[in-house]
C-alpha cells in the first residue's frame, strides 16, 4: 500500500489514503474520491478495474453527476458507459 495517493490513469482521477495498483486494478482505501468527466464518487473503499472501466465502491458511497445524487453502501459503476 502507498499512503495518501493520487493516481491518474487515462480515464479516472483517483485519490485515497491508501492505494495499490495491480495490473488492471487499483485498490483504494480511506477517503476515496474518484472523478470522471462530470461525475464524482466518494466512498470508504473502492476497486477500479481499468481494463473493464468499472468501479466497485463500498461504504458511505456518494455518487454525483448532472443527473443527480445517489447515496448507498455499495455502488457498481461502469464509468465509461454510464
Amino acid at each position: 500500500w502507498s499512503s495518501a495517493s493520487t493516481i491518474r490513469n487515462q480515464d479516472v482521477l483517483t485519490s485515497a489514503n491508501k492505494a495499490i495498483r495491480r495490473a488492471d486494478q487499483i485498490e483504494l482505501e480511506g477517503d476515496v474520491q474518484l472523478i470522471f468527466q462530470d461525475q464524482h464518487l466518494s466512498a470508504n473503499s473502492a476497486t477500479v478495474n481499468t481494463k473493464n472501466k468499472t468501479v466497485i465502491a463500498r461504504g458511505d458511497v456518494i455518487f454525483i453527476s448532472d443527473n443527480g445524487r445517489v447515496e448507498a453502501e455499495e455502488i457498481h459503476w461502469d464509468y465509461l458507459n454510464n
Side-chain angles (χ1 to χ4, degrees):
W1 290 98
S2 60
S3 60
S5 296
T6 299
I7 299 172
R8 177 184 287 281
N9 67 49
Q10 63 198 32
D11 299 312
V12 176
L13 175 64
T14 63
S15 175
N17 293 339
K18 296 179 183 177
I20 188 167
R21 186 174 197 136
R22 294 186 190 111
D24 295 329
Q25 280 195 205
I26 305 169
E27 298 288 336
L28 303 162
E29 291 288 334
D31 193 22
V32 175
Q33 305 293 318
L34 295 105
I35 299 170
F36 178 73
Q37 296 176 354
D38 64 344
Q39 302 169 79
H40 180 264
L41 183 143
S42 63
N44 294 335
S45 66
T47 301
V48 180
N49 185 310
T50 58
K51 182 177 181 181
N52 296 334
K53 313 294 188 211
T54 59
V55 174
I56 299 173
R58 295 171 204 86
D60 299 323
V61 182
I62 300 172
F63 179 80
I64 301 170
S65 73
D66 287 343
N67 295 327
R69 176 185 171 113
V70 176
E71 296 185 32
E73 279 304 306
E74 183 170 298
I75 287 180
H76 294 238
W77 176 29
D78 179 344
Y79 61 83
L80 190 61
N81 297 307
N82 189 14

